[in-house]
Amino acid sequence: MPANLPPEAQARLAKYSEAKTVEEKIRALEEFISAVPKHKGVENLLLWAKRRLAELREELEEQKRKRKGGGGPRIFVEKEGAAQVAVIGPPNTGKSLLVQRLTGARTRVADYPFSTTLPVPGMLPYKDIYFQLVDSPPLSREAPQFIPRIAGLARNADAVIVVVSLDSDPVEQYEFVRDILSEHGVFIEKPRGTVRIEKGGEHGVQVLGSGRILDGTIKDVERLLSRYRIYRARVYVEGEVSLDDIEMAILRSSVYRPTIVLANKADVPGAAERYRRLYNYLLERKSKSVWLIPVSARTGLNLDKIGELLFKRLNIIRVYTKKPNSEPSKIPVVLPKGSTIRDLAEHIHSDMLEYFEYAKVWGPSAKYPGERVGLDHVLEDGDIVEIHSKR
Ligand SMILES: Nc1nc2c(ncn2[C@@H]2O[C@H](COP(=O)(O)OP(=O)(O)OP(=O)(O)O)[C@@H](O)[C@H]2O)c(=O)[nH]1
Ligand SMILES: [Mg+2]
């Protein structure tokens, strides 16, 4: 890729990228698959199309169920708390017992694989916030029907917990989970670059962002997009990307989700040695973006560390708002690290920004208690903020 497609197949792909509804997308992809010649050089695109088709069919089913008014299994779980974390992994690794021990949710735990068939959410308290952990069915080639749903769950979540078991080779389990998710456009290791495409705009095709295209120029990007009948777009490039990555981004954006790997069953014989293998493997791959910790859902080892790890991994801060002459709120506003008073004001209410006058800050980011600051002041975890408006 970019594959050399006959015009017929290319037109079908363009139709897909223009399609608005799930039904239209399904139809366009089916037509594409039948129009594409089966020769070398298009395998990747064909594979992608088939996977995407499976996902879309799942989505359609889900929509139908919703229209009928509930009932039946759900793929997506409504977000609650400071962040949603998808708990995923191969069969029988202890996902359900972990979620149960961490949140008290009534997940089904069994000593045989494939015991979980539906996502089950539970809330993990950490300090004065909660993380929503979502237990999920096992990822396995033996149960292909779950794969697009689990990938969708991970895509929709703010972070991922991968659970592998130390009673067999954890490297194999980890690679399996990583590869299957990336086939569905969800990266758990930080990719070398990312592309995001916004169609429209006034200025033709623009390439923006701090990244770099490895194997082409802006002209090549224009040519590529025009094959999909896109003549006006903003292409945001971060890190290093190829023209292939850009073509994939036209068809479906990939996402990166911050990830923690829990090496579970640390209590079984041989666990320490297997853990070391995974540790060294991640070290060698320089996957600094993936965090690893040994745990045992059975003995409780390190379960008390998970809240803090998630908090750090998610790069979030807690900010407490207060009104003049009253106590700060007990429940914080959760924002991404690096957020400013402007972000806080926008988060609270759109009017807040319009009538903003100044803010007073107490806590880590304040030079002195009650420092008076403007919209660009950068907040830190634990700050208390009083916003004064013109009316
Ligand atoms: N020794 C040991 N056994 C564990 C641990 N965690 C879970 N188990 C056992 O492993 C088996 C599977 O646990 P589950 O929580 O059902 O695993 P799962 O990953 O949810 O399984 P599926 O939903 O089928 O994918 C059960 O018999 C658990 O009691 C652990 O830390 N140590
Ligand atoms: Mg389970």
Side-chain angles (χ1 to χ4, degrees), residues 95-96 108 115-116 135-136:
K95 300 176 290 301
S96 297
R108 176 133 74 127
S115 50
T116 304
D135 184 23
S136 68

Side-chain angles (χ1 to χ4, degrees), residues 132-293:
Q132 183 190 41
L133 305 190
V134 185
D135 184 23
S136 68
L139 259 186
S140 160
R141 300 259 184 229
E142 285 169 50
Q145 74 276 20
F146 291 145
I147 295 175
R149 291 193 209 171
I150 297 166
L153 193 72
R155 178 180 280 270
N156 207 37
D158 302 300
V160 171
I161 285 182
V162 173
V163 182
V164 296
S165 164
L166 292 173
D167 61 8
S168 67
D169 181 13
V171 172
E172 215 171 274
Q173 298 171 57
Y174 171 77
E175 285 186 322
F176 169 73
V177 173
R178 178 195 62 207
D179 294 347
I180 216 163
L181 287 177
S182 83
E183 285 171 11
H184 288 266
V186 181
F187 296 115
I188 61 170
E189 289 178 1
K190 208 173 182 122
R192 69 184 199 292
T194 57
V195 186
R196 190 164 52 84
I197 298 177
E198 274 174 21
K199 290 183 202 165
E202 317 258 282
H203 302 287
V205 171
Q206 289 175 285
V207 176
L208 305 165
S210 62
R212 159 174 109 80
I213 301 162
L214 293 170
D215 55 351
T217 61
I218 298 195
K219 273 266 156 289
D220 295 319
V221 177
E222 266 177 23
R223 213 168 300 134
L224 184 60
L225 264 64
S226 73
R227 286 180 17 200
Y228 291 89
R229 299 201 284 261
I230 300 168
Y231 307 103
R232 283 178 304 180
R234 278 187 289 265
V235 181
Y236 294 93
V237 173
E238 300 299 334
E240 296 181 335
V241 307
S242 64
L243 288 172
D244 276 4
D245 295 329
I246 295 176
E247 182 161 20
M248 270 328 217
I250 299 171
L251 298 166
R252 194 238 339 241
S253 65
S254 295
V255 296
Y256 161 65
R257 292 289 170 253
T259 296
I260 296 174
V261 178
L262 303 185
N264 189 34
K265 309 199 185 183
D267 55 284
V268 302
E273 204 185 303
R274 293 196 194 97
Y275 176 78
R276 191 128 288 276
R277 238 177 79 67
L278 181 56
Y279 178 90
N280 287 334
Y281 170 85
L282 289 174
L283 204 63
E284 271 164 34
R285 279 182 65 79
K286 303 195 173 58
S287 322
K288 285 205 194 85
S289 59
V290 177
W291 294 5
L292 172 67
I293 183 171

Side-chain angles (χ1 to χ4, degrees), residues 335-355:
L335 296 168
K337 215 178 202 163
S339 291
T340 58
I341 295 281
R342 177 180 285 103
D343 300 316
L344 175 68
E346 270 177 347
H347 181 94
I348 300 170
H349 199 279
S350 52
D351 277 0
M352 213 43 155
L353 208 52
E354 202 177 320
Y355 298 106

